[in-house]
Amino acid sequence: MDSQNASYNVGQAKGQAQEKASNMMDKASDAAHSAQDSMQQAGQQMQEKAQGATDSIKSALNSKN
């Protein structure tokens, strides 16, 4: 009986460890996606600001002519 209990406990511990590892991987994946989304938004904002600056310069140059 002790051998069976030990095997059962080892199986339980293994299952719990696998579940924890899976949860950690899910959290890491979610964090990576969130970071990617944030970087894309930041890149879009930078692009929009650069376009705005370009438009301002063009406008200023055109108003001098």
Side-chain angles (χ1 to χ4, degrees), residues 2-59:
D2 286 335
S3 176
Q4 287 179 333
N5 285 340
S7 293
Y8 175 80
N9 289 338
V10 168
Q12 285 289 99
K14 181 180 177 184
Q16 289 174 1
Q18 287 173 335
E19 182 65 22
K20 285 182 182 179
S22 178
N23 288 340
M24 289 174 60
M25 291 299 291
D26 288 345
K27 286 180 183 180
S29 178
D30 290 346
H33 284 118
S34 178
Q36 183 180 17
D37 290 345
S38 294
M39 292 299 291
Q40 286 176 340
Q41 288 176 357
Q44 183 66 33
Q45 288 175 350
M46 289 177 64
Q47 187 176 19
E48 290 169 1
K49 287 181 181 182
Q51 185 62 51
T54 300
D55 292 344
S56 294
I57 292 169
K58 285 180 181 179
S59 179

